[in-house]
Amino acid sequence: MATADQGGEVRAAAVERFNELMWGLATTQCLHVAATLGVADALAEGPRPVAEVAVRVGADRDALERILRALVAMGVFSQPEPGVVGLTDVGQLLVDGRSGTMRHNAIFFGTLTYRTWEDALEAARTGRPAFPERFGDPFFDYLGKHPEEAETFNRAMQGGSAARLPPLLAWGWRDVRAVVDVGGGNGAVVGALLAAHPHLRGVVFDLPNVVESARREIAAAGLADRCDTVAGSFFDEVPEGGDVYILAQILHDWHDDDAVRILVRVREAMREDAVLLVHELIVPEDDAPHPAKLIDLQMLILLGGRERTRTQWAELLRRGGFELAGVIEGRRANVIEARPAAKRGDSP
Ligand SMILES: C[S@@+](CC[C@H](N)C(=O)[O-])C[C@H]1O[C@@H](n2cnc3c(N)ncnc32)[C@H](O)[C@@H]1O
């Protein structure tokens, strides 16, 4: 049995933990402030006095000093000597323009995401996404009308893709000629695949406003001669002719019935011997912490989508006309390999 003192220590530790959890909002906003001001960019060449950084980024010196003190304590910046700040490995991720930069993720989380999470309670009560109620349109329709925020979102996706890619790049691409990335965003996934596998040709398929920016990114990467961009909606039709189809971070955006509609459209475009690679998280069925358990809530609150367990993936694929053929595990996303099933999927 615990003594009174032990009970006090347990309670104090619980209060510490509770506060740590409750202050999550400050973490999000400190990262957002640093990202928007460009603090990490000002430190990209090496540590500098905070006073100098404040002038460079146009911030109040005292306020910035206090925000950076908190971010140093969180391990995002370092303090090599009093009054001087530098970048840790985590802080390096905030530098703009580098491959895998997370700067735009921090801005997206501190703005659209943050404001939508204010209505998490409403989503919990109704089971519906909070975004359309707050912003007047479903998420992707809203982005279609707000190019600046769309650019931030697309860059955030591009930043996140670097950490997700290893299992996809390592898949067996040797005998593949053409890959179609359905909902391919800025083209980061196809760009990385084409760079790693010079025999591949690619297609990035996405909404009209998004393929415009994919076209620019692909051209800038010098891959335009091996990659086409096609505009359209995956609820209508998907380009034919791929040996491999990719759905990377797509199906988790949608509830099951819409996800099945997308799968059926992809299945219709595919030859019998083509392969579908779903590049997504799998929610573990244990009680341990896992990124999928919070990303799942982001999907609920912004989009009405969900992360799925392996059982749920197998059932969703079956409804879409596929068989789950295997999984290659990765830290931030798995490759869920699916083959067309003999029986067609649900007709949506
Ligand atoms: C979460 S992002 C994933 C982007 C990319 N696949 C990646 O892994 O980074 C979802 C993508 O789906 C696209 N999208 C949304 N609705 C679509 C539709 N109806 N047809 C085609 N693409 C759509 C969005 O524009 C966005 O690029």
Side-chain angles (χ1 to χ4, degrees):
M1 207 166 67
T3 64
D5 272 348
Q6 280 169 335
E9 274 170 36
V10 169
R11 188 165 191 296
V15 170
E16 278 302 307
R17 179 68 186 135
F18 189 93
N19 274 312
E20 226 175 82
L21 295 170
M22 197 173 60
W23 278 94
L25 91 169
T27 310
T28 307
Q29 285 303 341
C30 284
L31 286 172
H32 167 221
V33 169
T36 302
L37 290 176
V39 173
D41 305 282
L43 297 171
E45 306 297 322
R48 287 182 191 279
V50 177
E52 196 184 313
V53 178
V55 173
R56 281 192 173 222
V57 304
D60 177 81
R61 178 189 162 164
D62 178 59
L64 187 67
E65 201 158 26
R66 290 154 67 188
I67 289 170
L68 289 179
R69 178 170 62 189
L71 283 164
V72 166
M74 291 175 207
V76 180
F77 294 96
S78 63
Q79 185 183 292
E81 55 184 281
V84 175
V85 279
L87 296 175
T88 62
D89 288 349
V90 180
Q92 296 280 357
L93 295 171
L94 281 173
V95 179
D96 203 3
R98 292 183 180 166
S99 152
T101 177
M102 303 288 284
R103 175 171 180 248
H104 305 275
N105 303 62
I107 297 173
F108 174 57
F109 263 63
T111 51
L112 271 192
T113 300
Y114 198 84
R115 286 153 66 198
T116 315
W117 272 74
E118 279 179 24
D119 296 334
L121 181 60
E122 202 47 29
R125 287 199 169 116
T126 64
R128 288 197 302 275
F131 190 95
E133 196 64 35
R134 179 164 272 249
F135 291 97
D137 274 310
F139 182 71
F140 290 113
D141 296 0
Y142 175 91
L143 290 187
K145 296 177 187 169
H146 296 84
E148 224 171 275
E149 284 163 294
E151 181 69 9
T152 298
F153 174 74
N154 292 333
R155 292 207 172 279
M157 288 295 102
Q158 194 172 3
S161 74
R164 288 188 253 117
L165 280 170
L168 190 65
L169 294 176
W171 189 78
W173 292 97
R174 206 187 56 191
D175 298 325
V176 176
R177 283 162 302 132
V179 54
V180 180
D181 191 4
V182 178
N186 255 6
V189 172
V190 162
L193 277 172
L194 266 53
H197 302 283
H199 67 286
L200 281 181
R201 291 193 60 83
V203 173
V204 178
F205 175 73
D206 208 299
L207 296 168
N209 58 313
V210 183
V211 289
E212 276 310 310
S213 87
R215 193 172 296 136
R216 285 195 300 274
E217 296 285 331
I218 296 281
L223 296 167
D225 57 335
R226 288 196 285 134
C227 188
D228 295 321
T229 51
V230 179
S233 169
F234 46 47
F235 290 113
D236 299 333
E237 201 177 12
V238 167
E240 295 183 344
D243 305 308
V244 171
Y245 284 76
I246 296 175
L247 283 169
Q249 315 292 301
I250 299 298
L251 298 173
H252 75 166
D253 293 342
W254 305 93
H255 66 68
D256 284 359
D257 289 345
D258 279 338
V260 168
R261 283 170 64 206
I262 297 167
L263 283 168
V264 168
R265 292 289 96 83
V266 173
R267 174 71 184 87
E268 285 165 358
M270 284 171 71
R271 296 190 314 268
E272 294 299 316
D273 64 343
V275 178
L276 168 65
L277 302 179
V278 176
H279 194 37
E280 296 255 16
L281 288 164
I282 297 177
V283 186
E285 296 193 55
D286 59 24
D287 60 359
H290 190 281
K293 294 179 184 178
L294 287 183
I295 298 175
D296 177 52
L297 301 182
Q298 173 89 332
M299 296 306 127
L300 166 69
I301 292 163
L302 264 72
L303 292 144
R306 66 184 314 130
E307 299 298 334
R308 295 176 170 93
T309 64
R310 186 175 173 130
T311 313
Q312 288 171 329
W313 276 119
E315 172 57 12
L316 191 80
L317 287 164
R318 187 199 62 72
R319 287 184 58 197
F322 292 90
E323 277 166 11
L324 194 160
V327 172
I328 306 177
E329 290 181 10
R331 273 166 73 86
R332 299 295 302 189
N334 307 273
V335 174
I336 304 168
E337 183 175 326
R339 307 258 168 190
K343 185 183 166 299
R344 292 258 161 197
D346 292 359
S347 32

